Amino acid sequence: MKIFVINCGSSSLKFQLIDSVSEECLAKGLCERIGIEGGMISYTPAGGEKEKTKVEIPDHKEAFRLVLEAMTNPKTGVLKSTDEIDAVGHRMVHGGEKFACSAILDADVLAAVTECNDLAPLHNPANLVGVNACKELMPNVPMVGVFDTAFHQTMPEEAYLYAIPYEYYKKYGVRRYGFHGTSHHYVSQHCAEFLGKNYEDMKIIVCHLGNGASVSAVKNGKCVDTSMGMTPLEGLVMGTRSGDIDAGVLEFLANKEGMDIKELLNMLNKKSGLLGLTEASSDSRDVEDGYFEKKENCVRAQKSFCYRVAKYIGAYAAAMNGVDAICFTAGVGENSPITREMICDYLGYLGVTIDKEANNKRGDDNIISTADSKTTVCVIPTNEELAIARETARLVK
Ligand code: ADP
């Protein structure tokens, strides 16, 4: 089957066309600045050159039209006709408590997703705009929603409840949901496969360290805790997000700086994390370079980032009463040996020893702990698009 995988933001549309049998990516690309002046589409067919075209993209429907046109272009396209697309898999951000697994996007399911809009007011409406635009252009193609929150729905109550008045949970569903679920699921499952072990018998900690970052604890194939909360703001130090913080800081800064709640949340989401601590960059490559040059701002940011991850690993080893494997994934987790090393330096009590040479290798699935390390540490590149394609193929079969 040919599966069209879509990740729609409010002004962007990322896509891949994946063959669900060979699991090859046939083409991929991105539309940027949808509805904003200065639009751009980039398109790369498998084995071909990346093409970038400046074009105004007034709305998502036009974005889809451009993408379908690129994929069926007689010269660089990979399809003769859009009829070859068997199904569409949409990345959906927030499924609330309604979705513990992926679902065919029929009218009932779309209504249920709409009910989750309050929980993710920036992301879910954008996802829905994408689904509707796609349906208009391909009305007869089955569409599946794969939720970022679904994998975490197995968390027990003690892990997902906030210790605030219970009525807010009952009235509004205020609780921890977690995100990056597709990645945590894919990576933990793939880790067991890679190590030749039974997924259902393992305790795995996945560190998804990208611009957004989260850790999860996966016991016997089920997520039992994760670091992001009702929104992606909780947990680790991220590119621009603070992660965990005492809510009392908000009142203090509101008084001192005259900031309202919107400004405070904007500060925590967009101006904090690595960016806030370095006062210079949210990109971990810059932070790493500065760390090696012993720049004070980058040293404090890099150390804070690694310390927070190590703290979560400790908490999750406790939550699962042990850990068999720790996986690093996503932009930073896959590409930054120094970050992995600094995190693992805290893990002596788990019997973790790192093989420096293995840790410096780049690329595929890789074990970076020594043969006698009590806990296995590995790098497992994530592939959320492939995971969405697999789910989509499974549901439409
Ligand atoms: P997201 O999907 O959340 O936007 P990614 O998983 O793509 O994030 O990760 C982006 C982060 O990965 C950036 O901070 C970037 O600097 C970092 N990154 C990418 N390549 C490298 C590298 N070679 N070394 C260190 N960090 C890297």
Side-chain angles (χ1 to χ4, degrees):
M1 274 198 275
K2 290 194 172 93
I3 313 279
F4 188 28
V5 176
I6 306 293
N7 183 351
C8 241
S10 58
S11 65
S12 70
L13 188 174
K14 260 199 225 170
F15 66 93
Q16 282 194 16
L17 185 70
I18 294 178
D19 183 317
S20 67
V21 178
S22 67
E23 301 207 322
E24 267 174 282
C25 169
L26 306 173
K28 64 179 177 182
L30 169 69
C31 292
E32 290 169 280
R33 300 184 67 84
I34 300 171
I36 309 171
E37 215 173 300
M40 168 87 83
I41 171 169
S42 65
Y43 168 77
T44 316
E49 297 279 313
K50 183 175 190 166
E51 294 167 9
K52 272 188 152 188
T53 316
K54 280 189 183 164
V55 54
E56 292 308 312
I57 315 176
D59 55 30
H60 285 77
K61 191 171 168 193
E62 178 61 10
F64 276 109
R65 206 192 56 72
L66 288 165
V67 171
L68 295 175
E69 192 175 84
M71 291 200 300
T72 51
N73 178 302
K75 272 196 192 146
T76 52
V78 291
L79 297 172
K80 286 202 182 72
S81 135
T82 52
D83 294 345
E84 287 175 53
I85 297 174
D86 296 292
V88 184
H90 290 270
R91 178 192 183 208
M92 308 296 284
V93 171
H94 216 309
E97 287 186 333
K98 294 182 202 294
F99 297 100
C101 49
S102 313
I104 300 263
L105 294 171
D106 58 23
D108 290 347
V109 165
L110 287 174
V113 176
T114 308
E115 283 174 30
C116 300
N117 278 359
D118 265 2
L119 293 169
L122 291 179
H123 293 106
N124 268 29
N127 292 157
L128 287 166
V129 167
V131 172
N132 290 329
C134 197
K135 278 196 171 214
E136 275 188 51
L137 289 171
M138 296 188 276
N140 300 318
V141 181
M143 312 225 170
V144 170
V146 179
F147 297 87
D148 244 23
T149 48
F151 181 58
H152 304 304
Q153 276 297 303
T154 49
M155 283 195 284
E157 197 179 49
E158 60 272 28
Y160 71 66
L161 283 180
Y162 291 117
I164 59 174
Y166 191 62
E167 68 171 295
Y168 300 131
Y169 169 63
K170 288 188 289 185
K171 272 208 302 219
Y172 309 118
V174 175
R175 51 159 281 182
R176 309 182 58 256
Y177 291 94
F179 297 87
H180 294 140
T182 312
S183 176
H184 286 289
H185 187 191
Y186 173 88
V187 169
S188 53
Q189 198 166 30
H190 192 73
C191 162
E193 253 171 53
F194 173 60
L195 297 176
K197 299 209 171 137
N198 189 359
Y199 189 43
E200 276 76 34
D201 295 332
M202 287 190 81
K203 295 170 181 175
I204 303 174
I205 294 176
V206 178
C207 307
H208 176 111
L209 310 180
N211 188 31
S214 63
V215 186
S216 69
V218 183
K219 189 177 180 184
N220 307 335
K222 292 201 162 76
C223 177
V224 293
D225 207 346
T226 191
S227 59
M228 282 179 168
M230 184 171 102
T231 79
L233 181 54
E234 194 179 343
L236 300 180
V237 174
M238 309 183 212
T240 62
R241 296 188 193 118
S242 63
D244 297 336
I245 187 166
D246 176 356
V249 170
L250 301 184
E251 186 194 26
F252 182 89
L253 286 179
N255 290 337
K256 290 281 182 199
E257 298 269 322
M259 291 156 95
D260 64 20
I261 192 71
K262 221 171 152 196
E263 290 166 326
L264 286 162
L265 265 291
N266 187 50
M267 178 273 290
L268 293 178
N269 274 306
K270 301 272 170 65
K271 298 180 186 166
S272 299
L274 298 178
L275 177 63
L277 287 172
T278 57
E279 302 186 296
S281 175
S282 63
D283 191 310
S284 79
R285 276 166 292 203
D286 299 335
V287 177
E288 215 176 281
D289 291 347
Y291 175 81
F292 285 121
E293 290 161 22
K294 298 195 166 52
K295 286 188 184 153
E296 211 180 304
N297 62 335
C298 295
V299 170
R300 68 174 169 253
Q302 176 71 9
K303 282 185 166 174
S304 305
F305 180 88
C306 295
Y307 178 70
R308 186 81 58 90
V309 178
K311 252 180 31 172
Y312 267 97
I313 292 174
Y316 290 170
M320 296 193 288
N321 191 17
V323 51
D324 302 310
I326 298 168
C327 307
F328 288 100
T329 196
V332 185
E334 290 167 31
N335 294 300
S336 175
I338 182 68
T339 301
R340 295 192 297 257
E341 184 182 326
M342 286 172 69
I343 294 166
C344 290
D345 276 349
Y346 285 100
L347 308 179
Y349 69 99
L350 291 174
V352 166
T353 47
I354 291 299
D355 176 336
K356 285 209 174 184
E357 206 177 308
N359 186 36
N360 279 319
K361 268 196 230 149
R362 282 184 193 272
D364 237 353
D365 304 337
N366 185 15
I367 296 179
I368 62 167
S369 48
T370 57
D372 60 355
S373 178
K374 284 210 188 81
T375 305
T376 306
V377 183
C378 35
V379 175
I380 305 279
T382 191
N383 192 338
E384 287 166 282
E385 289 79 12
L386 176 59
I388 292 173
R390 283 181 184 168
E391 275 293 278
T392 305
R394 186 178 67 81
L395 261 79
V396 301
K397 249 182 204 156

